[in-house]
Amino acid sequence: MESKPQSFGVLVEAFSSGNVAILSGAGLSTESGIPDYRGPSGQARRTGQPMTYQAFTGSDAARQRYWARSHLGWRHVTGAAPNAGHRAVAAVERAGLAAGIITQNVDGLHQAAGAVAVTELHGSLHRVVCLSCWARSAREDLDARLRAANPAWTAAAVGLEPAVNPDGDVALEETGGFTVVDCLACGGLLKPDVVFFGENVPKARVEGCFALVSAASALVVLGSSLTVMSGLRYVRHASSLGIPVLIVNQGTTRGDDLATARVDAPLGSTLTALARELGLGDEQHQDGSLSLA
């Protein structure tokens, strides 16, 4: 689907009016070096099948494979920095023009850019949860424990640059010999605090996002193909209430037929231009991005 006429102008007008709900997807983080699942902004496709909740909880070997791959991938995720798109979204929020941000991403880059009202629909790789006592802890703490438990394996992995998958693990087939650690409090199984395939988003979180969209003046989708229902349902909900839906994404999306306006363009430059039009930028860099107050 081609961009609708004056679509960027409609985007500026929507944010100028304020009270905009934002739904962001993996396409917003590709300029930070984190690949997405599909679409022109992320030509990299996932290598291998993603971990399912059922496999993770039902198999020691599956957990070993996951944590070995995720342990390497974590270095890439934690080393990623917010890009111009994240900074523009944070500036819009600081200006009081966004009602809230729903993100399908698990990388924490919205918060790293300074955004506050962020609902992490699928959780965050920066936290770990115990499946027995439900205690949550920082991923940095687990990373230190895994390094200590796997000195030879970690040393052997230094210098490896396997392909990073969108969900933060890496394409690594040999994971034998990796030692998995358990919860310090109760000895239970540790899992990243993210929603795996085959697992449901918590009901309260889903309903909170529906309420945010219901009260918004517009829903703006940033960098999501809307292929999975967890994001598409909010587009359908907004449309059913007559709330304008604006989509900024490279490539077509599953919600295009419901969109009031579409901008098919890179997220960083488009959102930087949006911030400039809204008067939120105070300094332009050589790459065209703005220092956003």
Side-chain angles (χ1 to χ4, degrees), residues 65-291:
R65 175 177 177 271
Y66 175 82
W67 280 120
R69 292 164 61 109
S70 184
H71 181 54
L72 280 186
W74 172 245
R75 298 183 302 182
H76 186 82
V77 173
T78 194
N83 62 53
H86 295 111
R87 294 194 296 272
V89 170
V92 166
E93 185 198 48
R94 284 195 298 271
L97 302 178
I101 302 161
I102 304 167
T103 185
Q104 297 172 278
N105 300 338
V106 295
D107 52 38
L109 292 179
H110 275 300
Q111 295 93 323
V116 176
V118 181
T119 299
E120 296 173 315
L121 192 61
H122 297 153
S124 174
L125 286 173
H126 292 264
R127 298 185 302 271
V128 179
V129 62
C130 173
L131 295 181
S132 294
C133 69
W134 300 105
R136 284 174 168 79
S137 56
R139 179 65 179 265
E140 288 84 354
D141 296 340
L142 176 63
D143 184 64
R145 292 180 62 203
L146 289 175
R147 286 176 181 271
N150 297 278
W153 194 93
T154 302
V158 171
L160 291 177
E161 294 296 337
V164 179
N165 289 313
D167 42 7
D169 68 355
V170 297
L172 186 69
E173 294 304 321
E174 180 52 56
T175 58
F178 188 84
T179 298
V180 177
V181 300
D182 296 321
C183 176
L184 287 173
C186 74
L189 301 180
L190 293 177
K191 171 183 170 292
D193 196 11
V194 300
V195 178
F196 278 173
F197 286 86
E199 188 178 7
N200 294 322
V201 178
K203 184 177 179 181
R205 193 181 304 167
V206 172
E207 293 178 346
C209 292
F210 273 125
L212 173 65
V213 173
S214 296
S217 62
L219 174 62
V220 175
V221 179
L222 302 176
S224 176
S225 64
L226 300 172
T227 300
V228 296
M229 186 55 67
S230 64
L232 179 62
R233 59 186 161 190
Y234 298 114
V235 170
R236 290 180 172 176
H237 182 64
S239 179
S240 72
L241 296 177
I243 296 170
V245 175
L246 293 75
I247 299 177
V248 184
N249 188 64
Q250 286 190 272
T252 59
T253 83
R254 196 176 170 192
D256 285 350
D257 289 343
L258 301 175
T260 306
R262 283 251 308 134
V263 178
D264 192 332
L267 276 294
S269 58
T270 300
L271 295 176
T272 295
L274 170 68
R276 185 184 297 115
E277 289 292 326
L278 295 172
L280 304 180
D282 57 9
E283 179 184 348
Q284 184 168 346
H285 299 297
Q286 289 183 349
D287 64 359
S289 66
L290 298 177
S291 292

